[in-house]
Amino acid sequence: MTDTSTAQATAAASGAAATEQFRTRQPTSASGADTARVDTLVTELLTAAHDIIRRHKVTYEEYNTLKTWLIQVGEDGEWPLFLDVWLEHVVEEVAGEDRQGSKGTIEGPYYIPDAPRRPAEATLPMRENEAGVPLLFQGQVRAVDGTPLAGATVEIWHADADGFYSQFAPGLPEWNLRGTVVADDQGNFKIHTVEPAPYQIPTDGSCGRLIRSAGWHAWRPAHLHLKVSAAGHQLVTTQLYFKGGSHVADDIASAVKHELILDPTPGADGNSREVTYDFVLDKA
Ligand code: MBD
Ligand code: FE
């Protein structure tokens, strides 16, 4: 990790961390790739690009701008960010087509496995006086038939009140706002955390440059990331958003679904909020 006193949250730093994190989890071997499948998919992708070039009479100047930009995306380590923001939502849509249980959505580039394990009622690792409105996020994990899933695992990770993720921005404790919460024998969990802020994707890298060049905005709505799993059931990767929050209706990553919008109520203590959301898992 970089020097926490001087390091800046830059696109290149978070991109390098996201690229490294992805590589360590993803086997590099291409063995088992189906030649016919590769032929079909790559040919169709290229044909779509050829068609766009013809229809829009793409110039050499534009072609070379694209080439320069693509080279720079790699140098910035922003391929994970680019792919997860602009393509993953459709991959997830296809992957989740036949699921009966809770809706999933994209994982994004900032998941880290093996966050600290905590019991069914737990406070996520956070700094003393962590900024943000305290949030009690509670619920139950069940099977599609309603059976509570004892000992289900709720992995949760989210940005802090400044929109930064631990291990992808400097100066944060390693596991800040990341945890693996183990539900009780009724599948219930109670997680104490703080509400995350909306997330602006880095503006100083290649993805930021694309966003500015196209006149788009760089924002995702505030969100909690989750992976919920239980023995004999399919893991669901999802996110939850906050009703009325900025960019819920125009997420740059197109990952909001109406089923995933929370509407927390004021907590008993007057300064916190709380919300209940149950997860339903399909059989494996
Ligand atoms: C995020 O926090 C995120 O969830 C996605 C999908 C892309 C960039 C940052
Ligand atoms: Fe995120």
Side-chain angles (χ1 to χ4, degrees), residues 2 38 54 56 90 120 125 160 174 178 181 196 211 236 276 282:
T2 41
V38 174
R54 288 196 185 97
H56 296 278
V90 187
D160 66 15
E174 187 175 21
R178 296 177 180 272
V181 176
I211 286 165
V236 64
T276 299
D282 285 78

Side-chain angles (χ1 to χ4, degrees), residues 180-255:
T180 303
V181 176
V182 182
D184 67 15
D185 57 7
Q186 284 303 307
N188 290 314
F189 62 88
K190 267 189 185 208
I191 300 170
H192 297 268
T193 186
V194 293
E195 289 191 23
Y199 179 85
Q200 184 179 34
I201 75 170
T203 52
D204 62 320
S206 300
C207 291
R209 187 162 163 220
L210 168 61
I211 286 165
R212 268 192 309 284
S213 302
W216 302 338
H217 72 74
W219 293 91
R220 298 215 59 221
H223 56 280
L224 305 174
H225 287 273
L226 298 129
K227 282 181 183 281
V228 181
S229 57
H233 292 76
Q234 292 179 38
L235 178 151
V236 64
T237 299
T238 193
Q239 297 182 33
L240 295 169
Y241 307 93
F242 297 88
K243 190 176 173 184
S246 319
H247 300 295
V248 170
D250 64 348
D251 177 13
I252 184 73
S254 310

